[in-house]
Amino acid sequence: MNFTKTTEQSSHYEHLEKMSVADLLANINKEDKTVPLAVEKALPQIEALVTQVVEKMKLGGRLFYIGAGTSGRLGIVDASECPPTFGVPFDMVNGLIAGGDKAIRQAVENAEDDTLQAWIDLQEHGIMANDVVIGIAASGTTPYVTGGLEKCNAQNIITGCITCNEGSPIAIASKFPIVVVVGPEFVTGSSRMKAGTAQKLVLNMISTATMIQLGKVKGNKMVDMQLSNDKLVDRGVKMIMGEIPVDYEKASQLLNEYGSVRKAVENYNK
């Protein structure tokens, strides 16, 4: 397939090794500023995919991210943050990476080149018709991701993607593609930079908007968050104080008794 990989095109900057630290940082920052504008252009695509995710999750479905390398790690980060932030089950949003858990920390040779492995990985998680699978790949050509999406399509499972190249195999294989064109990287081909930032921004949007639509946020507060450390307990106590007329000590007692901000507020004076 012939298409232009803008993520692989030569950097707009030459002789990086001759730049001062100040110039390096200024130029990287200059490039980074373009990323949110590129994401903005993809908002209709993001909306279309989020709408599908919400619809399927209301039917009991789950969300799966599949990717390799940096893209796979970004999916895992987003998935892992959903339970503590929104109080959802750990398997509601899942991140799968080519090469398995070992690949989270170090590259696994040739793992991304297997077109069958993603489907095997998804089957190990009991993939079902109401689930949604989002492939993440800056290049848009990763065989692990493309193969997984094509298998899902054959099973009538909703597919989406986050990629940074127009007309890529992954975009074509997705029913609901998200394409954020960020152009050449500061260091030629280093798609962990602008492309990675774009993917992270889109992932933030997908998971956050979905959880809000599912009622996991009240007002603007994370009322279902897991109270997994002292900082979050203190935040929870202060959230309760902002919702009902109690002092810190009483709010702390309520939080301890009911285990969540939402339940503490709902059960106050019942």
Side-chain angles (χ1 to χ4, degrees):
M1 175 181 292
N2 291 320
F3 75 99
T4 301
K5 282 191 188 180
T6 55
T7 55
E8 299 290 334
Q9 290 181 338
S10 185
S11 171
H12 297 309
Y13 303 82
E14 296 288 350
H15 308 299
L16 306 188
E17 72 280 7
K18 295 181 181 179
M19 291 184 185
S20 67
V21 172
D23 285 343
L24 286 169
L25 300 181
N27 287 326
I28 291 170
N29 182 242
K30 181 181 177 181
E31 288 300 304
D32 286 344
K33 288 176 183 177
T34 68
V35 177
L37 299 176
V39 172
E40 183 179 14
K41 293 177 181 177
L43 285 176
Q45 294 179 326
I46 301 170
E47 180 185 1
L49 180 52
V50 169
T51 299
Q52 292 294 319
V53 174
V54 171
E55 183 179 308
K56 290 297 184 181
M57 280 193 163
K58 285 181 177 178
L59 297 173
R62 298 164 297 167
L63 175 59
F64 288 88
Y65 299 127
I66 58 173
T70 297
S71 296
R73 294 180 192 107
L74 288 168
I76 288 169
V77 167
D78 193 72
S80 67
E81 291 290 349
C82 288
T85 306
F86 302 109
V88 297
F90 74 93
D91 61 347
M92 191 170 180
V93 182
N94 306 273
L96 304 181
I97 186 170
D101 286 353
K102 179 183 177 183
I104 296 171
R105 293 185 179 274
Q106 63 188 72
V108 176
E109 190 173 355
N110 298 327
E112 69 175 57
D113 298 327
D114 190 333
T115 59
L116 301 178
Q117 189 60 48
W119 181 245
I120 294 170
D121 293 344
L122 288 165
Q123 286 181 303
E124 288 179 357
H125 286 77
I127 188 78
M128 298 181 295
N130 282 332
D131 296 333
V132 177
V133 177
I134 300 176
I136 312 173
S139 67
T141 59
T142 309
Y144 175 85
V145 178
T146 306
L149 294 176
E150 289 174 346
K151 280 286 190 181
C152 289
N153 288 333
Q155 299 297 319
N156 291 318
I157 294 167
I158 293 293
T159 55
C161 74
I162 307 170
T163 185
C164 297
N165 283 312
E166 290 275 13
S168 67
I170 285 168
I172 293 169
S174 301
K175 294 176 183 175
F176 295 91
I178 296 170
V179 183
V180 182
V181 181
V182 295
E185 297 286 3
F186 180 70
V187 176
T188 299
S190 183
S191 55
R192 68 185 180 86
M193 299 185 77
K194 287 193 299 181
T197 300
Q199 290 171 329
K200 174 62 173 151
L201 292 177
V202 173
L203 287 164
N204 287 348
M205 290 179 169
I206 291 171
S207 56
T208 304
T210 294
M211 293 302 161
I212 292 171
Q213 288 286 300
L214 293 175
K216 301 301 180 181
V217 171
K218 188 175 189 300
N220 58 16
K221 304 293 195 303
M222 298 182 290
V223 293
D224 293 324
M225 66 180 179
Q226 292 178 356
L227 306 171
S228 55
N229 58 48
D230 290 343
K231 178 192 76 173
L232 295 179
V233 170
D234 178 67
R235 181 189 296 169
V237 170
K238 291 173 180 175
M239 286 166 61
I240 293 170
M241 292 171 64
E243 293 292 322
I244 56 178
V246 294
D247 60 18
Y248 192 97
E249 183 178 1
K250 179 61 176 177
S252 182
Q253 290 175 354
L254 288 168
L255 187 59
N256 186 57
E257 180 179 355
Y258 292 106
S260 80
V261 173
R262 182 189 296 274
K263 290 178 181 176
V265 172
E266 289 177 349
N267 286 282
Y268 178 65
N269 275 343
K270 274 195 175 180

